[in-house]
Amino acid sequence: MRHNLLLGILIFGLILIGMATFNAGLIAIAILLIVYITSGLLYGPGQIALEITRNISPERASPGALVEVRLQITNNGSRLEEVLLEDRIPSQLEVVGGFTSLMTEFEENETKEISYTVRGKRGIYYFEGVTATANDRFDLFRRVKLTPILGSIFIMPQVPKIKRVAIRPRQTRVYSGSVPARIGGPGVEFFGVRQYNSGDPLRRINWKVSARYEEALFSNEFLQERVADVGLILDARLRCDIRTNQGTLFEHQITATAALTESLIKDGNRVGLLVYGQFLDWTFPRYGKVQRERIFQVLARAQTGASLVFENLENMPTKMFPTNSQLILFSPLLDEDAPILIKLRARGYQIMIISPDPITFQQSSLPKNRNTELGTRLAQIERKLLFKKLRHSGIAVLNWEVSTPFDQAMHVALGRSSLWSHPFRGRR
Amino acid sequence: MLSDLSISSSSWFSPRKLAWMNLILASAAFGIGYTIQELWYVIPVVLLLAIIWIWGNLRAVGWTASTIFVLHTIIAAAGFYYSGEPLPLIIGMLFALSAWDLSSLSRRFLIAGKTEHKLAQSYRHLRRLILVEALGIILAGITLFFHIDINFNWLFLFGLIAVVGLSYGISYLLKRVD
């Protein structure tokens, strides 16, 4: 109960009983309390008018990194003899240094500063504003005012650095890049020979082949390297996610998506992202650093969710991705996903699946006994069969045990040197 | 600046310690008042209240200070009702009010996280409390020691004014409660 109300009731009771019983003592006690409450009324707080500036440094940070928040608060109203200034920070942020609130006396036109350090997990965090609770010295009368001062901290997902990812889409774009385009032209890697055309540089003439024919010359052709359209699909279906005391599998999917985004955009490709979960979060394919930032922002706020419509991959809007482009799916995969992915492959999409292993991830949190062992073996057999089916259809699959760092797993499985990434393999 | 006072905040001049001192003095005053009246059975109640208050203060239990302040008011009022000695009762009430107020201040300091110039704020608070209580005790003394003989009609009129005035007062306070 607020102090003023409590005192009001006591005063009321004492005066009534005092007058009813002709007892001056009770009135004397009431007078003592009346003087006390009157002082609260006299010195009660005036209107609160604050001017606030917020400085966040850095506004963009990696998970766990320290972010400093500074608030400069100026009192443009009347003097406040006791005021509690509280910055309303998002509950997911952890304060590791300083204070988010300050109790002080606030003179007119005076400026106070609140500074603190926070850290947090992946996400975008928005600040609401500063709540000022002003009261008289006895805290009998209060005024509360929220002064909105917006700000945000963008904690981007972890981005492990990976080497160049070899992708082989059937169709590339016109700009030169790093993806072998399956067509001859200027380049570095040998592609084939063709009849000499006038204007071909002499150093391109393949003399060995030309020597076999009397009246013809042949020129070397090289594999053209161009940029490609890449569609990243992040599976955010709740039923695919596994949560243990070590975290969620979805966080690993996010890490993988961020790493590939960084690598593919750096190579000059046109990259789009579809988050497939409770709803569709679609980032249209574009080039460059701005696009990378857009995708990271989507990844920062991505959450798993359940939806009847998007329960399986059947309703995936593939028309958003250009035909014959490269699709990369980040998903632990369910058995029922295989036919849909095979259908997509049949339509001409080059598909790569990066699948964090849910079995080994969950196994680490289960008790070690014969039943767990047997269950794990059965699940692994099922998963191997699923992968076999997908690989038979020409889909590249990386089974990623999340205990291995993603960059290492990628280096082994998808690096340029791997047999899997041979430029003509996809054609055969 | 008062913040430059040589007294450190860890010295006796902290709201919490002052609240404890006031509680002890209030209990002592009530004890003396009831001892004079020879109402011995009230003294264990006063002691019990002090123990509950201290327990609540140590455990940072929010409701104890206000509840015990109400009970102290009832003890003081009961003392007057049973024609007790006015001086120890009114002094006990004065210290009880101080204990309640200072415990509320120390609680606000605790919740605030960072408090700027805590010592200076405590000092100014205490100064105002002393002034208010000094004025209160003077007015209470006038009430106790100056008798005015009035008949029933005047009493009824004053009673009516008091009831209406207090009703307005309480409704006003209720509106300002956040």
Side-chain angles (χ1 to χ4, degrees):
Chain A
M1 191 189 279
R2 291 284 295 120
H3 287 179
N4 52 12
L5 189 64
L6 181 79
L7 283 173
I9 293 167
L10 280 177
I11 292 166
F12 196 89
L14 285 167
I15 287 184
L16 282 183
I17 298 167
M19 292 187 92
T21 57
F22 290 95
N23 193 321
L26 301 189
I27 306 288
I29 297 171
I31 282 173
L32 191 63
L33 301 182
I34 287 169
V35 172
Y36 182 79
I37 205 168
T38 308
S39 78
L41 266 174
L42 286 175
Y43 296 103
Q47 290 296 331
I48 301 170
L50 303 177
E51 188 186 316
I52 308 171
T53 53
R54 186 191 293 279
N55 184 19
I56 300 170
S57 176
E59 286 185 331
R60 195 173 175 280
S62 51
L66 299 179
V67 177
E68 197 185 2
V69 182
R70 266 176 202 281
L71 289 162
Q72 297 269 349
I73 307 166
T74 307
N75 182 12
N76 289 339
S78 56
R79 179 179 184 270
L80 303 169
E81 59 179 22
E82 192 180 299
V83 61
L84 178 66
L85 304 163
E86 286 173 289
D87 191 14
R88 295 173 75 162
I89 67 162
S91 56
Q92 299 93 333
L93 286 177
E94 183 196 354
V95 180
V96 288
F99 293 95
T100 57
S101 59
L102 174 71
M103 186 173 162
T104 184
E105 293 172 345
F106 216 168
E107 300 295 332
E108 267 182 67
N109 301 320
E110 196 187 358
T111 301
K112 301 278 180 190
E113 187 178 283
I114 295 177
S115 70
Y116 55 91
T117 314
V118 288
R119 69 176 168 207
K121 292 177 181 169
R122 173 184 66 86
I124 302 176
Y125 301 98
Y126 295 100
F127 291 89
E128 284 178 53
V130 173
T131 307
T133 309
N135 50 267
D136 59 287
R137 289 215 185 275
F138 300 149
D139 191 25
L140 296 172
F141 298 97
R142 272 187 196 169
R143 272 184 201 274
V144 183
K145 190 181 177 189
L146 171 71
T147 308
I149 175 73
L150 302 177
S152 63
I153 298 177
F154 166 39
I155 298 184
M156 53 188 277
Q158 269 184 335
V159 190
K161 284 197 172 175
I162 54 169
K163 289 187 176 177
R164 183 174 287 174
V165 182
I167 52 166
R168 301 287 182 269
R170 284 190 174 176
Q171 199 172 309
T172 51
R173 298 188 70 79
V174 290
Y175 308 110
S176 63
S178 62
V179 179
R182 300 165 193 250
I183 48 170
V188 178
E189 206 173 328
F190 178 74
F191 181 69
V193 288
R194 60 161 171 78
Q195 205 159 11
Y196 176 80
N197 288 333
S198 62
D200 280 353
L202 283 177
R203 60 190 170 88
R204 282 212 189 159
I205 295 172
N206 190 324
W207 295 107
K208 279 185 181 171
V209 177
S210 303
R212 292 182 195 159
Y213 300 89
E214 284 183 11
E215 291 181 1
L217 283 174
F218 290 87
S219 299
N220 282 337
E221 267 197 321
F222 297 93
L223 193 66
Q224 279 201 29
E225 290 193 333
R226 291 182 175 177
V227 295
D229 280 324
V230 184
L232 305 177
I233 303 163
L234 175 64
D235 187 353
R237 290 174 295 169
L238 190 63
R239 57 199 288 247
C240 286
D241 192 23
I242 288 170
R243 289 157 194 262
T244 66
N245 49 10
Q246 292 170 353
T248 69
L249 199 59
F250 185 68
E251 283 304 315
H252 295 286
Q253 284 171 245
I254 296 272
T255 306
T257 314
L260 257 80
T261 303
E262 174 83 18
S263 169
L264 291 166
I265 284 191
K266 204 174 164 188
D267 286 348
N269 297 300
R270 202 168 75 138
V271 182
L273 172 70
L274 175 70
V275 182
Y276 190 85
Q278 195 175 12
F279 51 86
L280 296 177
D281 195 346
W282 170 236
T283 312
F284 195 81
R286 284 190 186 92
Y287 301 98
K289 285 180 184 174
V290 176
Q291 176 70 352
R292 184 184 60 184
E293 192 64 24
R294 274 192 209 108
I295 292 178
F296 281 172
Q297 288 203 9
V298 173
L299 290 177
R301 62 170 186 258
Q303 297 294 332
T304 52
S307 158
L308 283 175
V309 182
F310 305 120
E311 203 172 62
N312 51 45
L313 295 178
E314 205 162 5
N315 292 322
M316 191 157 55
T318 47
K319 283 183 181 174
M320 287 174 169
F321 302 107
T323 324
N324 293 335
S325 63
Q326 174 79 50
L327 298 185
I328 303 178
L329 173 68
F330 301 88
S331 169
L333 287 181
L334 299 171
D335 280 344
E336 67 207 51
D337 297 337
I340 301 150
L341 294 169
I342 292 166
K343 252 189 230 174
L344 276 177
R345 177 76 184 99
R347 277 188 220 159
Y349 290 105
Q350 197 73 24
I351 301 174
M352 182 194 287
I353 299 169
I354 300 202
S355 182
D357 190 353
I359 301 161
T360 49
F361 182 70
Q362 197 165 26
Q363 193 192 4
S364 58
S365 63
L366 293 174
K368 284 177 184 169
N369 55 38
R370 193 169 153 67
N371 289 342
T372 310
E373 205 177 298
L374 193 66
T376 306
R377 276 183 64 192
L378 283 171
Q380 274 169 343
I381 290 166
E382 273 184 2
R383 192 165 161 84
K384 273 180 187 169
L385 285 172
L386 173 69
F387 284 0
K388 202 174 174 185
K389 206 189 285 180
L390 291 169
R391 282 184 184 129
H392 266 299
S393 315
I395 297 171
V397 187
L398 166 64
N399 182 36
W400 172 34
E401 283 186 19
V402 293
S403 53
T404 313
F406 183 66
D407 47 343
Q408 281 181 29
M410 281 296 287
H411 182 67
V412 173
L414 302 176
R416 262 204 186 279
S417 57
S418 78
L419 185 66
W420 180 87
S421 65
H422 193 276
F424 300 106
R425 190 181 164 85
R427 208 192 259 176
R428 283 173 188 164
Chain B
M1 270 298 285
L2 284 165
S3 56
D4 301 328
L5 284 168
S6 57
I7 312 160
S8 73
S9 58
S10 58
S11 70
W12 59 272
F13 198 79
S14 83
R16 194 177 184 195
K17 285 178 185 170
L18 285 173
W20 281 54
M21 279 164 59
N22 276 285
L23 176 88
I24 292 163
L25 290 170
S27 303
F30 287 135
I32 291 165
Y34 278 94
T35 307
I36 294 167
Q37 276 177 276
E38 294 183 352
L39 294 170
W40 307 104
Y41 55 88
V42 183
I43 293 164
V45 177
V46 172
L47 283 172
L48 183 70
L49 291 182
I51 290 164
I52 295 170
W53 192 98
I54 290 166
W55 169 82
N57 197 265
L58 289 172
R59 294 281 180 99
V61 182
W63 56 267
T64 46
S66 291
T67 311
I68 286 168
F69 170 65
V70 172
L71 293 172
H72 276 157
T73 310
I74 292 168
I75 284 172
F80 278 115
Y81 185 77
Y82 290 109
S83 311
E85 190 64 37
L87 195 65
L89 291 175
I90 203 83
I91 286 173
M93 189 59 213
L94 195 80
F95 284 126
L97 180 64
S98 301
W100 177 60
D101 175 86
L102 290 166
S103 98
S104 161
L105 178 67
S106 69
R107 194 172 164 74
R108 291 204 298 283
F109 281 160
L110 195 73
I111 294 167
K114 186 184 174 187
T115 308
E116 205 176 46
H117 309 308
K118 193 187 269 186
L119 193 63
Q121 281 197 58
S122 308
Y123 181 80
R124 288 189 190 114
H125 183 102
L126 197 64
R127 194 172 59 184
R128 182 170 297 168
L129 184 66
I130 290 166
L131 281 172
V132 163
E133 287 193 335
L135 183 65
I137 202 116
I138 290 166
L139 291 175
I142 291 168
T143 313
L144 282 171
F145 299 108
F146 287 86
H147 293 276
I148 306 161
D149 290 325
I150 51 169
N151 60 25
F152 180 78
N153 294 339
W154 279 107
L155 182 71
F156 184 77
L157 182 69
F158 286 139
L160 203 65
I161 292 167
V163 168
V164 173
L166 284 170
S167 301
Y168 270 108
I170 285 180
S171 66
Y172 172 75
L173 293 178
L174 277 170
K175 276 179 201 165
R176 287 191 67 164
V177 168
D178 4 275

